[in-house]
Amino acid sequence: MKSFAQSLLDLWRQIGVSQRVSLIASVLAVALVVLGLVVWSRQPDYQLLYGRLSEKDAAAIISSLQAQGVRHRVGQGGGSVYVPADQVHRLRMELAGKGLPGGDGVGFEIFDKGQFGLSDFVQRTNYNRAIQGELARTISQLDGVSGARVMIVQPENRLLLTDQGVKPTASVFVEVRNRLEPEAVNSIRHLVANAVQGLVPDAVAVVDQRGRVLSAELKEDPMLGSASSLIRYRQQVEDYFAKKVESMLSPVLGPGQAIVRVSAEIDNEAAVLTEERFDPESAVVRTQTNTEDTNTSTEERKGGLTGVAANTPGAPADAAAAAAQNARPSVTNAQNRKNQSISYEINRTTSNIRRNPGGIKSLSAAVFVAARPAEAPDKPAAPRTPAELEALRRVVVNALGLKLAPGQSLDDIVSLQETAFQPAVIDERIEALATETRVQSWIETASRYVAVAVALGAFLVFFRMLRRQRPEPVPVELLNAAAPGRNGVRANGNSAAPTPELLNELIRQKPAHVGTALRDWVAAKSN
C-alpha cells in the first residue's frame, strides 16, 4: 500500500500542470456523479396515496401527513398525494379511520350530529343526499371507475296524490378509465335501483364523461319482453354446453384440439295451461237415496147395543137392526213401498300448468377436431377413420343429452369435422404490451444497481487514465545512445554504466523516462 501511494506521489510530481488540472477535474466530476447517484438511490420510492382529490380533501390529507411527520409530495395540480411506498397501506387505513378522503358527496355521516328544529323537508333532503353519497362511494370502488356521482329524483310526498304514475328515477355519472363492460353498467343500475324504494333498473340512466349513455342498450323493450335478458340467458346456456363438451374432449384429444359451438333454441313465451280430462269408463257412485213405504191391514169387530136400550125387553126393531149392523167386522188395509235412487260421477282430472320463458326447445352443435399429429417428421399424419369420427359424434350427442327425433340422424344435430388448425397468431398490440411490461420490469430492476455500476465504471475509467499517464520504462543501456553528451561528446555505447554528465543531460531532457529507468535499474541491482 505504501509503495502504491509513493508511486502515485511520484506520478503527481512528474506530470505537468495541464495534466494535473485535467486529472483534478476528472476526479471531481466522477466524485460528484457518484455522490449524486448515491443520494438518488437513497431517496424513498414514492407511490400514489390518493389521486383526483378535491381541494378540501387534499388539504385535510396533507395536514394529517404533516402532523405525523410523514414525507410526501404533491402532484397533478394538488389533486394527488404521494408518500413512501412502505407507508401507503398504513396511511390509507389511518386516514380512512378519520373519514378521509370524504369524497365529493356526503354519506350517512350527515346524521352524526344532532340537529333540532329541522323541518320534514330538510330531513328528507338530507336522507336523499346521504343515499346519493353512499351510492357514489360504492360505485367508485368498481374496477375501471375513477369517480361517480348519483342523482335521485323521488316524487313529492303529498297527502293527496294527483298523478299515480309518477315513479322515482335516478341518473348516474361515472368517470371511467377505458371502457366499462355491459355487466358493470348493469350492476350499477341494479345497485341504485335496489337502494331506492320503488325504483326499477330501467329508470336508472348511466352516463360517462364522454357523454355516452351506457345504459341505453340494456333498457328492456316491453314489446320484446326482456330481449336483452333472453339473449344473455341464451349465451349462458350455449357457453355452458360448449364448455361441457370441450372439457370432456380436451383430456382425450389434447388441450386446444377441439372447438365446440352450441346453438340453443330458447322458448321465450310464458303461458298458463289448464287441462281437464274425463274418463268415461271409470264411474263412481256420487249419491245414493233409498225410500221404503209400508202398508198394514187391521180388522175390528163391534158388539150389540149397550146401555138401557139394549137391556130393555121389547126394544124396537130399528134398535135390533142397529145392533146387528154393529156386530159386523171392519177391515183396514196398509201398503208397504220401497224406492232407491243412485247418482254416478265420471272420473275427471283437472291440471293447471304454468310455463315460464327459458325452456330449451332444441340443441345443435358444431365441432371441429384438429388433425392427428404426425408420428414422425418425414411421415404424413394419418386422418381419423369414419368410425372414429362417428364415435366422437356419439360422445358429443350423449354429453349434450340429445335425443333423435323420428327420421333424424346424428349428423343433423351434431356436425363434426376433422381439419388442420392454423397456428395461433398473437396480436401485435398484446405483444407490444407484453414487451413494454418486460422492459419496465427490467428498468425497475436495473435502477437498483445502476449507482453501483456507474461507480465501478468511473473507478475503472480513472484507473485507466492513471495507467495511461504512467511513463514506459527505459533500459539504462539505451541511455548512452538516446542522449548526446555534453559539449559535443557522446558517451561510449559500449559502456555499461552511465556517466554523471550523461545523467544530468538526460534528466534535463526527459525527466520522466530517466526517473523510471533509474528505479528499474536500482531494483534490478538490488535483486
Side-chain angles (χ1 to χ4, degrees):
M1 187 65 184
K2 186 178 296 185
S3 61
F4 179 73
Q6 185 64 32
S7 301
L8 292 178
L9 183 59
D10 295 340
L11 180 61
W12 178 261
R13 292 173 180 173
Q14 294 172 9
I15 62 178
V17 177
S18 61
Q19 293 176 341
R20 291 180 181 180
V21 173
S22 301
L23 184 60
I24 292 174
S26 301
V27 171
L28 290 178
V30 171
L32 290 177
V33 171
V34 172
L35 181 61
L37 291 174
V38 171
V39 172
W40 173 77
S41 63
R42 293 178 63 87
Q43 289 291 330
D45 182 17
Y46 284 92
Q47 289 189 2
L48 180 65
L49 179 64
Y50 288 112
R52 299 180 181 272
L53 296 172
S54 61
E55 296 180 356
K56 181 179 178 181
D57 291 337
I61 290 174
I62 293 174
S63 299
S64 179
L65 295 178
Q66 291 177 350
Q68 299 180 25
V70 179
R71 291 184 295 180
H72 60 277
R73 291 190 307 182
V74 180
Q76 296 184 3
S80 301
V81 179
Y82 296 85
V83 295
D86 55 347
Q87 301 183 18
V88 171
H89 301 290
R90 179 182 64 83
L91 292 174
R92 283 180 180 174
M93 289 186 292
E94 292 182 357
L95 293 174
K98 299 178 181 179
L100 295 175
D104 296 333
V106 295
F108 280 104
E109 65 271 7
I110 194 174
F111 297 106
D112 291 343
K113 298 180 181 180
Q115 297 178 357
F116 297 98
L118 295 180
S119 63
D120 181 65
F121 175 77
V122 176
Q123 290 287 358
R124 285 188 287 108
T125 303
N126 289 339
Y127 178 76
N128 198 19
R129 292 176 58 196
I131 290 290
Q132 294 176 167
E134 293 294 337
L135 288 174
R137 294 176 184 177
T138 305
I139 295 172
S140 300
Q141 300 300 320
L142 297 177
D143 292 338
V145 179
S146 302
R149 295 192 65 183
V150 180
M151 286 72 72
I152 299 174
V153 179
Q154 292 185 343
E156 188 176 353
N157 188 12
R158 293 182 179 180
L159 183 61
L160 299 177
L161 295 178
T162 58
D163 190 358
Q164 299 290 340
V166 178
K167 301 294 182 181
T169 58
S171 301
V172 181
F173 174 80
V174 291
E175 186 175 356
V176 297
R177 298 185 182 93
N178 297 318
R179 181 179 180 273
L180 208 58
E181 297 295 332
E183 291 79 5
V185 178
N186 198 28
S187 65
I188 293 174
R189 294 169 64 239
H190 284 80
L191 176 67
V192 177
N194 292 328
V196 180
Q197 183 179 4
L199 184 61
V200 295
D202 285 343
V204 180
V206 182
V207 184
D208 64 356
Q209 75 271 18
R210 297 180 179 88
R212 298 177 300 180
V213 183
L214 304 179
S215 59
E217 299 178 356
L218 300 176
K219 189 175 181 180
E220 298 177 355
D221 191 349
M223 298 300 295
L224 298 177
S226 182
S228 59
S229 300
L230 288 175
I231 292 175
R232 289 195 300 270
Y233 174 72
R234 179 178 178 178
Q235 183 179 4
Q236 292 174 0
V237 171
E238 292 176 349
D239 291 344
Y240 166 74
F241 283 106
K243 290 180 181 178
K244 182 180 180 181
V245 177
E246 286 184 358
S247 62
M248 181 184 61
L249 296 178
S250 294
V252 179
L253 303 178
Q257 298 299 310
I259 300 176
V260 181
R261 293 294 181 269
V262 177
S263 177
E265 185 180 358
I266 306 299
D267 185 8
N268 56 358
E269 296 181 355
V272 178
L273 178 62
T274 302
E275 184 179 7
E276 188 174 6
R277 294 182 179 182
F278 294 92
D279 188 4
E281 296 182 357
S282 59
V284 295
V285 178
R286 182 177 182 183
T287 60
Q288 182 176 359
T289 303
N290 295 326
T291 304
E292 183 177 356
D293 295 337
T294 304
N295 294 330
T296 58
S297 178
T298 59
E299 182 179 355
E300 181 179 359
R301 290 181 176 271
K302 295 182 179 180
L305 296 175
T306 59
V308 178
N311 295 324
T312 301
D318 55 353
Q325 183 69 26
N326 290 333
R328 295 177 183 177
S330 66
V331 179
T332 304
N333 296 324
Q335 296 181 357
N336 187 6
R337 185 179 62 185
K338 293 183 179 180
N339 186 16
Q340 185 178 10
S341 177
I342 301 176
S343 298
Y344 293 91
E345 186 74 22
I346 300 176
N347 188 14
R348 183 181 64 178
T349 302
T350 303
S351 58
N352 294 325
I353 301 175
R354 183 181 182 86
R355 187 177 63 189
N356 294 324
I360 301 175
K361 291 184 177 180
S362 62
L363 287 176
S364 60
V367 182
F368 277 111
V369 179
R372 185 179 296 168
E375 298 180 357
D378 55 345
K379 294 182 180 180
R384 292 181 174 86
T385 62
E388 293 177 342
L389 296 178
E390 187 67 19
L392 289 175
R393 184 181 286 108
R394 289 185 177 276
V395 169
V396 174
V397 169
N398 294 332
L400 295 176
L402 302 177
K403 294 182 180 180
L404 294 178
Q408 223 178 16
S409 63
L410 294 179
D411 195 26
D412 294 337
I413 56 177
V414 174
S415 175
L416 190 144
Q417 294 182 7
E418 181 183 13
T419 183
F421 286 5
Q422 297 295 329
V425 179
I426 302 177
D427 194 352
E428 295 181 357
R429 293 175 296 178
I430 299 177
E431 187 176 2
L433 182 61
T435 304
E436 184 180 355
T437 305
R438 287 195 300 268
V439 170
Q440 239 177 2
S441 62
W442 293 342
I443 292 175
E444 291 178 359
T445 305
S447 62
R448 303 177 183 176
Y449 307 101
V450 66
V452 179
V454 171
L456 292 176
F459 178 75
L460 292 177
V461 171
F462 178 69
F463 184 73
R464 189 174 180 85
M465 291 174 60
L466 290 178
R467 291 192 63 181
R468 286 181 179 179
Q469 295 295 334
R470 183 176 180 181
E472 297 179 358
V474 180
V476 179
E477 290 79 1
L478 299 178
L479 292 175
N480 295 330
R486 194 172 184 179
N487 298 325
V489 181
R490 294 183 60 89
N492 188 8
N494 297 328
S495 177
T499 61
E501 294 81 4
L502 178 60
L503 291 178
N504 292 331
E505 186 68 21
L506 291 175
I507 288 173
R508 284 192 296 270
Q509 294 181 2
K510 301 287 184 179
H513 293 285
V514 173
T516 302
L518 290 177
R519 284 197 302 271
D520 294 341
W521 179 68
V522 172
K525 289 296 184 180
S526 61
N527 294 333

